[in-house]
Amino acid sequence: MFWLTLILVLLHLTRGNSPCFGRSLGISPSRTQFFKWESLTLYCGADERIMTTSTSACSKKGHECNITLAGDRHTGAYWCDSNSGERGEAVNITVTGGSVILESPVHPVQEGSPVTLRCLSCNTCINKLVVVIPINQSCTFSRDGRLIGDGLTGEMSFAAVNRSHEGLYKCTFSGVESPGSWLAVRATSFPPTPAPAPPPHPSSSPPIGLCWTAPPPDGSSGRGRMLLEKKTQRS
């Protein structure tokens, strides 16, 4: 019994520390575009397995897959599958032989979240030696084939995205265009507004008020009388 409990605890800790807890694929480095011959690692939960539409061997590696020399065969959709058959959200990974890629969020982002897109270049892409560096120069960014602006330092930032920011993004540097990456934006779900409190119920007995009675005109009494009067409702 002790060993069974220990194994269950270790499995729970392993799953909790995974970058891909809850059937959401984890990728390191955290992007969806890679240069040819780059190295990357894919993660799922400890009790899950990686599935893919590509011809890579990642679907045979269980919940973690290390790709040391990325190539065309690694381009495709990847997702996490649970042992019970639940399928996680797919992530499209692109491996390119070009010299420019776009760094963008791997998973959908919530409305109102800040997002930064970065244009990256391959400084050394020969002899299977890949050095990826940010482009700290002017780049152009497009969404769905339309130019949306320039990034003077190779970046484009949105302080708070909304559904209008959703689309296929690309960046261009020195006439070289990156592959496209889809930016998905999810609507923020707000908790239901509580119903207003009902008005207080009226008292069953009529309210009691104070009345001041003036002294009689004949002056028989030098003082006025304070009377307690019970208001009655008209029928």
Side-chain angles (χ1 to χ4, degrees), residues 181-203:
S181 281
W182 183 264
L183 175 64
V185 180
R186 286 180 174 168
T188 303
S189 56
F190 295 98
T193 305
H201 294 288
S203 174

Side-chain angles (χ1 to χ4, degrees), residues 64-201:
E64 182 175 330
C65 180
N66 295 304
I67 300 174
T68 54
L69 293 172
D72 294 337
R73 69 184 184 279
H74 296 109
T75 294
Y78 294 77
W79 66 92
C80 298
D81 247 4
S82 70
N83 293 331
S84 59
E86 294 177 274
R87 174 174 171 165
E89 191 168 39
V91 176
N92 291 309
I93 292 179
T94 301
V95 179
T96 177
S99 59
V100 175
I101 61 173
L102 176 68
E103 181 183 277
S104 62
V106 173
H107 300 289
V109 294
Q110 292 286 338
E111 276 188 313
S113 301
V115 169
T116 297
L117 307 176
R118 294 182 180 88
C119 213
L120 307 177
S121 70
C122 185
N123 190 33
T124 306
C125 289
I126 57 175
N127 297 326
K128 299 181 181 179
L129 177 62
V130 179
V131 178
V132 180
I133 60 172
I135 298 175
N136 294 316
Q137 301 179 46
S138 180
C139 302
T140 59
F141 290 84
S142 64
R143 180 178 62 240
D144 298 331
R146 293 185 177 183
L147 181 67
I148 58 174
D150 297 328
L152 298 181
T153 59
E155 296 183 353
M156 174 163 284
S157 296
F158 306 107
V161 295
N162 54 49
R163 295 302 295 273
S164 67
H165 290 101
E166 193 169 73
L168 186 71
Y169 285 81
K170 295 180 180 181
C171 70
T172 302
F173 173 67
S174 294
V176 181
E177 187 179 66
S178 74
S181 281
W182 183 264
L183 175 64
V185 180
R186 286 180 174 168
T188 303
S189 56
F190 295 98
T193 305
H201 294 288

